Amino acid sequence: MTAKLSPERTPWGLVILLGALTAMGPLAIDMYLPSLPSIGVSLHASAGETQATVSAFLAGMAIGQLFYGPASDRLGRRPPIMFGAVVYIAASVACGFATTPALLIGGRFIQALGACAGAVVSRAVVRDRFTHTETARMLSLMMLIMGLAPILAPLLGGALLGLGGWRLNFWFMASFGVAVGLAGLLRLSESRSEETTAHAASESPLQAYLALMREPRLVGYALAGALNGATLFTYIASSPDLLIKTYGIPASAFGWVFGLNAVGIIGSNQVNRFLLRRRTPDQVLAKASLISVGFAVLLMVAAVTGIGERWSVLPLLFLLLSSYGFMQGNTMAGALNVDPRRAGAISALMGAVSFGTGAVASAAAGVLHDGTPRPMAVVMLAALIGSGLCLHLLALPKQSTKLPA
């Protein structure tokens, strides 16, 4: 059953709840970034081991989604969310008690397995309740809530680090999981359709994924969104070294500069909402993908030539990362519309591809690291060119990109 979303009928309670469920992952990634040096000292961990706590979380987010998606189609939307919340809470507590790098790395992996449930199922819930265009608008609205995580999380994490050490970050995450899990238990109603239930019972998860991967449009949307999102993961991995070491920004100010780009992403998501009143998601995607490549080219020029240094690189990064707000909700809405009967599996596949691609891109930037913004710019340009090609060659129906007369 789909519904029409209008400004007067915007379901803000649902927006806040689904946004908070989706924010569990970003919160757990961004909140403890300022604590990484302290974690290394406290646990006698090498730089590689502290970085592995980030990589383990990304791997858990990619892998876990593949299980929750089909489960939500088969069992309903509520049970996977409740299960994921319990896993997230337990793993957050375990991370708070970790005494060795290996224990923290393992705890972070399990924490991600719990966090990804909210992201996967929330997107499926939106598709259950709304049409293609309204799904894109709802996902943009959810960014108002989810997008606060990369703005506030590093600031809050730094404050908690000063108050009680790095372990306090994980106690906060556990408390957040309890609050969001209870809200989901009490306020989220089941939205899975009878058609989805019957169809999920007729095939295995593997059959569902194989069927989806035979859909060129779905593959196009998935890769276009994932490669665009890879720029954000690359920035997250590169930003501490770039901002603090290369550009000499004080560690105390890192959260403010880091969060500024999240403001751009939130803002572009809200602009996307208004564009969708006059344009289809595919029309917005066609333009946004080309503009993002243009910004990536300019960033590459600035990084290679060194012209303006931080005063050219950082504003261009802001503009480039803002394209995420036009691409992610619209590629997700397009993919979910390819086969609504498999909304859970599609949501999972999109999330897994996104995190997997992001992990590869951020690792590539790390391998190429030379103390300048050049490796980051190279990875971002390659990712956005790939995103545009996948979108225009595979995903977009030719007629949908034409503007109405």
Side-chain angles (χ1 to χ4, degrees), residues 144-178:
L144 283 170
I145 310 303
M146 188 181 73
L148 292 175
I151 299 175
L152 300 179
L155 299 174
L156 179 60
L160 292 175
L161 176 65
L163 286 175
W166 63 269
R167 297 180 190 275
L168 199 55
N169 283 277
F170 291 104
W171 306 139
F172 181 89
M173 293 177 202
S175 301
F176 182 79
V178 170

Side-chain angles (χ1 to χ4, degrees), residues 49-380:
E49 287 173 322
T50 57
Q51 181 60 38
T53 64
V54 179
S55 302
F57 191 89
L58 295 178
M61 288 289 288
I63 294 170
Q65 297 192 54
L66 293 173
F67 295 94
Y68 286 113
S72 74
D73 287 339
R74 282 174 165 262
L75 305 176
R77 308 308 187 198
R78 284 167 49 86
I81 285 181
M82 297 303 103
F83 178 80
V86 171
V87 172
Y88 180 83
I89 295 163
S92 297
V93 172
C95 288
F97 282 116
T99 55
T100 67
L103 287 174
L104 183 58
I105 291 169
R108 288 286 287 170
F109 179 80
I110 297 172
Q111 187 186 35
L113 293 180
C116 64
V120 172
V121 183
S122 292
R123 296 189 294 257
V125 169
V126 171
R127 186 59 189 89
D128 289 340
R129 300 186 179 209
F130 300 99
T131 64
H132 180 184
T133 297
E134 298 307 334
T135 293
R137 289 187 62 203
M138 271 292 291
L139 293 172
S140 291
L141 272 173
M142 286 164 56
M143 275 300 299
L144 283 170
I145 310 303
M146 188 181 73
L148 292 175
I151 299 175
L152 300 179
L155 299 174
L156 179 60
L160 292 175
L161 176 65
L163 286 175
W166 63 269
R167 297 180 190 275
L168 199 55
N169 283 277
F170 291 104
W171 306 139
F172 181 89
M173 293 177 202
S175 301
F176 182 79
V178 170
V180 173
L182 285 175
L185 178 65
L186 298 174
R187 303 295 299 174
L188 186 64
S189 59
E190 184 57 60
S191 62
R192 181 184 56 159
S193 69
E194 293 182 3
E195 183 182 10
T196 296
T197 304
H199 192 270
S202 69
E203 64 181 7
S204 68
L206 179 59
Q207 289 173 322
Y209 284 129
L210 290 175
L212 292 174
M213 286 187 287
R214 288 194 291 267
E215 293 282 355
R217 288 187 62 210
L218 177 62
V219 172
Y221 283 124
L223 291 177
L227 287 167
N228 178 274
T231 61
L232 182 60
F233 286 104
T234 301
Y235 171 70
I236 290 172
S238 305
S239 59
D241 188 84
L242 176 68
L243 298 180
I244 297 172
K245 292 185 179 180
T246 303
Y247 290 144
I249 294 172
S252 58
F254 169 79
W256 294 101
V257 179
F258 184 88
L260 184 62
N261 287 304
V263 173
I265 294 172
I266 293 174
S268 60
N269 267 279
Q270 304 321 302
V271 173
N272 183 57
R273 279 181 56 215
F274 290 103
L275 290 177
L276 290 173
R277 294 179 179 179
R278 302 176 62 90
R279 298 287 185 267
T280 68
D282 285 345
Q283 289 169 350
V284 175
L285 283 171
K287 301 293 184 182
S289 65
L290 298 177
I291 292 172
S292 67
V293 172
F295 286 135
V297 170
L298 293 176
L299 176 64
M300 185 70 187
V301 171
V304 170
T305 63
I307 295 175
E309 296 186 337
R310 75 176 74 177
W311 303 112
S312 60
V313 169
L314 296 184
L316 286 169
L317 264 177
F318 176 86
L319 294 171
L320 185 153
L321 293 172
S322 293
S323 72
Y324 184 87
F326 296 103
M327 295 291 294
Q328 294 306 304
N330 292 329
T331 53
M332 180 63 68
L336 290 169
N337 195 59
V338 170
D339 189 351
R341 298 172 304 173
R342 299 185 176 104
I346 290 174
S347 177
L349 187 63
M350 292 284 284
V353 171
S354 178
F355 275 91
T357 304
V360 171
S362 58
V367 170
L368 298 173
H369 176 266
D370 62 1
T372 75
R374 287 193 292 269
M376 179 186 68
V378 168
V379 172
M380 288 182 172

